[in-house]
Amino acid sequence: MKNIKITSVDKICEKNGISFFHVESNKFKTVLIDIFLADPLDKKRAVQNALIPHILKRGCSRYPTQQELALRLEELYGASINGGVSKFGEYQIVHLNAGFVSDQYTVNKANLFEEVGDILFEILTEPVIKDGMFNEDYFQQERENLIQRIRSRVNNKMYYSLERCMEEMCSDEPFAVYRDGDEEGAKALTNQELMFRYEQLLSRSPIYVYISGNVSDEQIQKFIDKFDALKRESIISLPPIKVKKEVQEIRHIEEPMDVSQGQLCLGFRTQIEAGDPMYYPLVIYNGIFGGGVHSKLFQNVREKESLAYSTFSTIEKFKGLLVACSGIDISQREKAEKTITDQLRAIENGDISDYELEATKKSLETGLKSMQDSQGAMVSFYFSQNLSGQNDSATNYIDKLNAVTKDDVVGVAKKITQDTVYFLTSLSGEGERREEK
Amino acid sequence: MKVLEFSRIQEKVYEYEHSSGLKAFVIPKEGYNKVYSTFATYYGSINNCFIAPGEKSETKVPDGIAHFLEHKLFEQEDGSVMDKFSKIGAQSNAYTSSTQTVYLFSCTDKFDENFKLLLKFVQNPYLTDENVEKEKGIIAQEIRMYEDNADWRVFFNLLNALYVNHPVKIDIAGTVDSISKITKDALHKCYNTFYHPSNMIIVVVGDVEPQTIFSMVEEGIKATNYPGEIRNIFPDEPAHHNKKLVEQNLAVAMPQFHMGIKDNSTVSGFDLIKRSIALEILLSMLMGRSSVLYNELYNDGLINQGFSCDVSLEESFGYTVWGGQSKEPKEVAKRITEQIQIMHKNGVDKKSFERIKKAHEGRFIRSLNSPENISHEFIPLFFKGAYFFEYAKVYEELTVEDAQKIFTDHFSLEPSLSIIWPMKT
């Protein structure tokens, strides 16, 4: 194997609270443009922010319907424009993105970056507006789609349970807000309120723009200059996220649903912020506990006890949460819960094998190096690093993880406190099969 | 060693044949850190009845056995193979589809060690009565997970609507009942039949030297003679669909639906990818993002962004499928069926065909960034006698007249419909 190549992300400039980055690499056949707009997570605003990218995607002044837009994108070698929202701790991120082939793969060396870049910018800044409001049909249709999307969270039982567990843990904190907001909020939302929110988002949110791929400096500069047209006012600052919270007693939540498999999620507070030096031992802790096939959860809950097919743990970096999830037979709940907490105690007691520690480090290192082979993965990583203020390069991050010792991990284990047990169970509380109609 | 070059998309394939009949491929990806390696057998969930080489009588095995065997190969006499990969920093995995089983690892370091391990474990099953029994509990939970997964159920229910007899309609993992009948002997029988090197391929994608890989294959693969042909036995499948409609209730917020048409053609090699791409373009023309129908359904609130289409063509079966979420799946089905009739009447429009072909070509090129994706596409196509990168040639050659013929043939059947309704409250 040849030498490892790490692509750097270069910050080109920052003006009016808009930061521009270039992830430069010639090995890909594509170019990506990602635009992120950040807002503090807030119940009322969440549902508004969640609706905005979906209305924007419906069209812009040059291509006022999604059909016209789709026709144009097909001509541009099937370029895609996507958008949505995501949740990073107690920040909500509105995201618009364009992906298309590099010019060298087009027949007459078209200038796709300029063509698609223009469209993406127009989608962001020139929505279809009538009488100072969004096109009413688009507003109504997308609000209905949003309501359906919020309701459809139950469809994926594993993610639903994981997110519900974290929401229950933070029920009196902003974190409890779902990334798409809530159904009642969506129903009550008016077109006028949404226009106001959209204007605020454009004028006051911190904005991050990532350009990935083989694009010349001149092309990039031309794209950056377009943003001068945005009317920017005083930019809001994202408040720090409260991570430290004492747990008074463990809460038990049971949610019945018509399912044949139970989902058991154990939620923990780590008390460790993303910027804390202990964050790196926490990442290793999570790897040993439930981050992969070498982990204690996989080896014990799955391989040894045959209790689950899917069993893992995950960290919510921004909020300092740790959750262990397993899809289990409903009758095995107690045994599963005990097996999971036994693993936790084991780490706390320093019962960590060299294999567990080394395999964790290597798997994280492989992941970070492999990330360099995907433009999308690099953008996600660097954006998240930027938002959390860590600003580690991939190499830096690997070094910090490799420096973690067993004692560091035990130190983390002693800080971790159990907060909530969430169980998605069947309606009868027993495993059952449904009949086809 | 043979080299195939695809200059339009700047990709190359190095090919090598081992004396056992196994073929190995290297697809170079300059500048990539990760090497993605796969070892695959042309054996999946549909191969549940066969005559093994040198035998006269049929062997019938329990449903889900190919997938079960995939799980079991990871267990070796000296422990779990996954652990060995993780120890040297690689991520290993495997998947079973209806037609193939694929073992894989990806790594950024110690490639040789990992690659030798892949060759070794796939060629050395370790099965005991105890470890076969133990696996049943894990797989039962995997099956249960899919029972609650509406996306999966709506798709398999559609396959049930399309196929009267063909085993593609059976869940890949089988049922809790069928896997309970799996024994060590049955697993050995399947292994010995389908894991002969002549039924397998190796594909490595990454920044590697092809010659080094092929030398390791030369050494690492057991030199055995060609045992003769495996005769897969599939029941006769009528040309018509099994059912018009299949419905089920699950804990979902909004109804989900899939529609599809089975493809009765028997093509392979280059013709298969040509037909497959033509069908993909036709689906986009009928109901893709730029179509009149998609936009009407969307504006009427009958579909959302999740609506999508797909084509699957195999040697013994094939189908087109499309679907998503809808408040009124039956109304959507009616309008799509009408739209197909309109295209029968008006013919395939040349201008839209060319525009959508260009878009699909662009998406194909975009997919070439991902080593995983290249492997996932390359393997099944090679088993069917084609090279994935020949897609580029199809986009150059495919005409609207070809598409018209394929449209008239494939869309002569009326689509079937599968619906998952929310639970009644």
Side-chain angles (χ1 to χ4, degrees):
Chain A
M1 289 187 61
K2 307 189 176 159
N3 290 335
I4 294 296
K5 291 156 202 84
I6 300 290
T7 304
S8 62
V9 52
D10 300 316
K11 184 161 178 174
I12 305 163
C13 65
E14 179 174 349
K15 50 179 177 179
N16 304 323
I18 312 175
S19 310
F20 296 90
F21 302 88
H22 186 198
V23 185
E24 192 181 357
S25 175
N26 295 336
K27 71 185 181 192
F28 301 108
K29 292 184 159 74
T30 50
V31 175
L32 299 187
I33 308 173
D34 289 277
I35 304 176
F36 302 97
L37 301 97
D39 200 36
L41 191 62
D42 165 88
K43 192 174 176 194
K44 189 147 187 230
R45 276 149 73 156
V47 75
Q48 302 174 344
N49 288 334
L51 190 48
I52 287 169
H54 294 280
I55 291 196
L56 297 182
K57 278 192 300 179
R58 292 299 297 269
C60 55
S61 48
R62 261 199 302 161
Y63 308 103
T65 65
Q66 60 177 1
Q67 187 176 17
E68 288 163 285
L69 186 62
L71 283 165
R72 183 65 190 137
L73 293 174
E74 282 173 353
E75 288 167 354
L76 298 170
Y77 289 85
S80 61
I81 289 187
N82 285 310
V85 285
S86 46
K87 182 168 137 181
F88 289 73
E90 286 168 353
Y91 307 139
Q92 188 189 24
I93 308 298
V94 176
H95 180 201
L96 282 176
N97 157 294
F100 44 96
V101 295
S102 293
D103 292 344
Q104 69 201 96
Y105 297 99
T106 61
V107 175
N108 299 313
K109 305 278 177 284
N111 189 348
L112 288 185
F113 179 77
E114 190 174 328
E115 298 255 18
V116 183
D118 283 355
I119 296 175
L120 184 66
F121 189 76
E122 286 165 32
I123 294 266
L124 176 69
T125 58
E126 295 174 33
V128 186
I129 287 177
K130 203 184 162 200
D131 303 330
M133 293 205 272
F134 289 111
N135 175 307
E136 184 62 22
D137 286 343
Y138 295 177
F139 172 76
Q140 294 291 346
Q141 288 158 8
E142 294 307 331
R143 189 176 61 169
E144 178 59 24
N145 285 341
L146 176 65
I147 291 169
Q148 294 302 341
R149 208 159 38 244
I150 294 168
R151 290 184 187 160
S152 297
R153 341 178 24 191
V154 297
N155 292 7
N156 187 319
K157 309 296 180 265
M158 190 181 80
Y159 285 115
Y160 175 73
S161 304
L162 168 62
E163 289 172 353
R164 285 282 300 118
C165 178
M166 291 196 281
E167 288 170 15
E168 286 291 344
M169 290 170 75
C170 306
S171 53
D172 54 353
E173 299 169 80
F175 189 85
V177 175
Y178 180 53
R179 67 165 175 273
D180 277 326
D182 65 316
E183 190 174 334
E184 290 65 38
K187 283 179 177 157
L189 180 59
T190 67
N191 195 337
Q192 206 167 1
E193 287 172 307
L194 193 70
M195 181 48 77
F196 178 74
R197 179 87 284 274
Y198 165 70
E199 285 165 352
Q200 290 286 303
L201 200 62
L202 271 199
S203 59
R204 302 198 54 202
S205 286
I207 301 178
Y208 309 82
V209 181
Y210 287 79
I211 296 158
S212 313
N214 196 5
V215 187
S216 73
D217 292 348
E218 294 73 44
Q219 284 176 304
I220 291 177
Q221 195 52 53
K222 218 171 146 192
F223 183 70
I224 291 177
D225 290 343
K226 294 173 84 68
F227 286 78
D228 290 343
L230 282 185
K231 281 192 216 89
R232 299 285 279 170
E233 292 159 23
S234 63
I235 308 304
I236 54 166
S237 52
L238 298 172
I241 297 171
K242 193 170 159 261
V243 163
K244 296 198 164 68
K245 192 182 181 213
E246 237 175 84
V247 184
Q248 303 301 336
E249 60 175 339
I250 300 172
R251 294 177 64 214
H252 293 265
I253 310 285
E254 236 179 61
E255 190 168 333
M257 204 185 275
D258 207 296
V259 291
S260 69
Q261 186 179 54
Q263 301 287 338
L264 179 64
C265 296
L266 273 57
F268 305 87
R269 297 261 174 187
T270 70
Q271 319 287 355
I272 297 168
E273 291 167 12
D276 190 321
M278 279 189 91
Y279 176 73
Y280 304 94
L282 172 63
V283 172
I284 299 290
Y285 174 96
N286 179 56
I288 294 169
F289 182 40
V293 298
H294 57 271
S295 69
K296 287 191 183 285
L297 288 183
F298 192 91
Q299 293 295 338
N300 292 285
V301 177
R302 174 170 155 148
E303 296 296 303
K304 197 169 154 212
E305 304 288 351
S306 295
L307 288 165
Y309 167 75
S310 166
T311 179
F312 63 94
S313 65
T314 183
I315 316 172
E316 209 300 332
K317 152 170 123 171
F318 291 82
K319 189 69 185 164
L321 308 177
L322 171 81
V323 184
C325 299
S326 306
I328 58 166
D329 196 291
I330 286 156
S331 64
Q332 299 285 334
R333 180 197 163 150
E334 275 171 36
K335 188 174 175 195
E337 196 174 328
K338 185 179 178 300
T339 312
I340 296 165
T341 42
D342 282 351
Q343 308 318 311
L344 220 81
R345 295 289 96 79
I347 304 180
E348 211 177 298
N349 295 332
D351 176 9
I352 300 164
S353 69
D354 291 342
Y355 162 65
E356 286 166 339
L357 183 67
E358 286 315 306
T360 294
K361 287 181 179 175
K362 288 208 171 106
S363 124
L364 290 164
E365 186 174 338
T366 303
L368 283 157
K369 287 174 177 169
S370 300
M371 177 188 88
Q372 306 293 317
D373 297 341
S374 158
Q375 290 170 312
M378 278 194 278
V379 171
S380 300
F381 174 80
Y382 285 116
F383 174 62
S384 161
Q385 287 283 310
N386 198 328
L387 203 60
S388 66
Q390 290 167 304
N391 287 315
D392 284 317
S393 67
T395 325
N396 226 332
Y397 194 45
I398 291 169
D399 290 344
K400 287 181 183 171
L401 292 176
N402 278 330
V404 172
T405 65
K406 253 185 227 183
D407 286 345
D408 296 335
V409 177
V410 175
V412 166
K414 297 207 189 303
K415 295 188 73 141
I416 288 176
T417 44
Q418 191 168 354
D419 183 300
T420 295
V421 180
Y422 171 91
F423 190 49
L424 183 80
T425 182
S426 67
L427 296 175
S428 65
E430 292 163 21
E432 59 188 343
R433 299 289 296 275
R434 289 167 303 258
E435 298 303 319
E436 250 178 54
K437 240 192 348 202
Chain B
M1 187 171 83
K2 150 171 134 181
V3 194
L4 299 161
E5 287 201 46
F6 302 85
S7 57
R8 162 87 182 90
I9 49 171
Q10 296 176 27
E11 296 289 349
K12 270 188 212 171
V13 180
Y14 292 84
E15 181 174 337
Y16 159 87
E17 188 171 344
H18 186 263
S19 62
S20 62
L22 172 135
K23 285 195 170 158
F25 304 89
V26 170
I27 298 164
K29 274 285 172 194
E30 208 183 313
Y32 275 61
N33 290 334
K34 171 166 69 186
V35 184
Y36 191 81
S37 305
T38 46
F39 195 172
T41 164
Y42 196 23
Y43 168 53
S45 64
I46 62 169
N47 307 100
N48 59 6
C49 184
F50 53 87
I51 300 175
E55 291 184 7
K56 290 212 169 58
S57 56
E58 272 180 38
T59 302
K60 181 96 187 78
V61 289
D63 294 331
I65 196 164
H67 171 259
F68 200 103
L69 190 53
E70 173 228 296
H71 270 239
K72 279 332 296 171
L73 277 199
F74 279 94
E75 195 161 320
Q76 300 278 292
E77 192 160 10
D78 54 352
S80 154
V81 177
M82 282 199 173
D83 292 351
K84 290 182 197 161
F85 279 112
S86 345
K87 221 172 250 175
I88 38 181
Q91 280 149 7
S92 61
N93 211 336
Y95 58 91
T96 305
S97 75
S98 50
T99 56
Q100 42 163 356
T101 312
V102 183
Y103 299 86
L104 61 98
F105 73 86
S106 84
C107 70
T108 55
D109 192 17
K110 299 199 171 80
F111 172 80
D112 292 5
E113 227 176 299
N114 283 306
F115 190 63
K116 282 177 190 160
L117 183 56
L118 175 72
L119 300 190
K120 190 172 159 233
F121 93 82
V122 176
Q123 294 184 89
N124 289 287
Y126 173 69
L127 302 165
T128 65
D129 291 329
E130 294 73 40
N131 74 22
V132 169
E133 275 317 302
K134 195 206 76 177
E135 203 64 30
K136 291 179 181 173
I138 296 170
I139 295 178
Q141 284 311 315
E142 189 179 358
I143 291 170
R144 289 266 186 259
M145 182 176 83
Y146 283 112
E147 282 174 4
D148 286 338
N149 183 326
D151 295 334
W152 187 257
R153 288 308 335 147
V154 72
F155 171 64
F156 264 90
N157 290 353
L158 177 72
L159 292 183
N160 254 296
L162 300 187
Y163 293 93
V164 179
N165 298 316
H166 197 285
V168 65
K169 65 191 273 182
I170 302 164
D171 238 303
I172 288 165
T175 62
V176 174
D177 183 52
S178 75
I179 62 163
S180 72
K181 300 189 179 84
I182 290 174
T183 61
K184 187 180 81 177
D185 291 345
L187 288 163
H188 269 300
K189 178 84 188 187
C190 291
Y191 182 85
N192 292 334
T193 305
F194 292 101
Y195 283 68
H196 186 273
S198 58
N199 196 43
M200 302 183 80
I201 64 171
I202 287 169
V203 181
V204 179
V205 189
D207 199 348
V208 289
E209 288 297 332
Q211 199 49 63
T212 323
I213 308 272
F214 296 148
S215 308
M216 289 168 74
V217 171
E218 179 63 43
E219 271 175 41
I221 297 293
K222 289 174 197 159
T224 51
N225 292 330
Y226 179 60
E229 197 195 348
I230 305 162
R231 285 181 51 208
N232 286 298
I233 297 166
F234 297 114
D236 287 335
E237 178 64 31
H240 61 82
H241 287 177
N242 184 24
K243 291 172 193 169
K244 278 204 146 136
L245 175 69
V246 179
E247 298 170 278
Q248 189 186 347
N249 291 72
L250 279 176
V252 291
M254 195 177 176
Q256 296 194 18
F257 72 99
H258 268 27
M259 291 178 78
I261 297 178
K262 82 174 160 189
D263 193 82
N264 291 314
S265 70
T266 48
V267 283
S268 63
F270 191 71
D271 289 339
L272 183 141
I273 50 177
K274 209 165 149 181
R275 187 176 180 93
S276 167
I277 289 174
L279 287 171
E280 283 169 14
I281 294 172
L282 289 165
L283 286 173
S284 288
M285 291 179 74
L286 279 164
M287 54 188 110
R289 293 289 192 270
S290 66
S291 68
V292 173
L293 178 64
Y294 176 91
N295 286 283
E296 282 177 0
L297 290 170
Y298 192 97
N299 293 341
D300 290 347
L302 290 172
I303 57 172
N304 59 32
Q305 296 276 344
F307 183 82
S308 67
C309 315
D310 201 9
V311 177
S312 177
L313 293 186
E314 297 295 337
E315 288 185 317
S316 70
F317 66 92
Y319 51 83
T320 52
V321 56
W322 57 88
Q325 293 183 316
S326 178
K327 289 186 290 201
E328 293 172 52
K330 288 183 179 170
E331 173 62 19
V332 176
K334 189 175 135 246
R335 293 220 215 159
I336 291 176
T337 309
E338 282 166 9
Q339 191 61 37
I340 293 170
Q341 291 315 314
I342 292 172
M343 204 185 257
H344 273 299
K345 212 171 95 205
N346 296 348
V348 178
D349 176 58
K350 185 167 168 36
K351 202 177 144 216
S352 318
F353 170 80
E354 293 298 340
R355 189 190 65 248
I356 289 174
K357 188 171 82 164
K358 188 178 176 188
H360 280 237
E361 184 186 18
R363 284 173 204 148
F364 159 67
I365 293 170
R366 283 165 64 191
S367 78
L368 300 174
N369 277 343
S370 156
E372 289 91 332
N373 179 66
I374 291 173
S375 289
H376 291 183
E377 298 286 352
F378 188 94
I379 296 164
L381 276 175
F382 185 79
F383 284 136
K384 291 177 276 189
Y387 290 96
F388 173 50
F389 296 141
E390 285 178 318
Y391 265 49
K393 201 169 152 219
V394 177
Y395 288 116
E396 267 174 51
E397 289 180 2
L398 191 71
T399 64
V400 69
E401 289 78 23
D402 298 329
Q404 179 67 60
K405 265 189 226 146
I406 292 168
F407 175 80
T408 309
D409 176 41
H410 177 81
F411 288 93
S412 57
L413 282 174
E414 194 168 307
S416 289
L417 173 63
S418 157
I419 306 174
I420 301 289
W421 298 101
M423 300 305 296
K424 292 182 204 97
T425 43

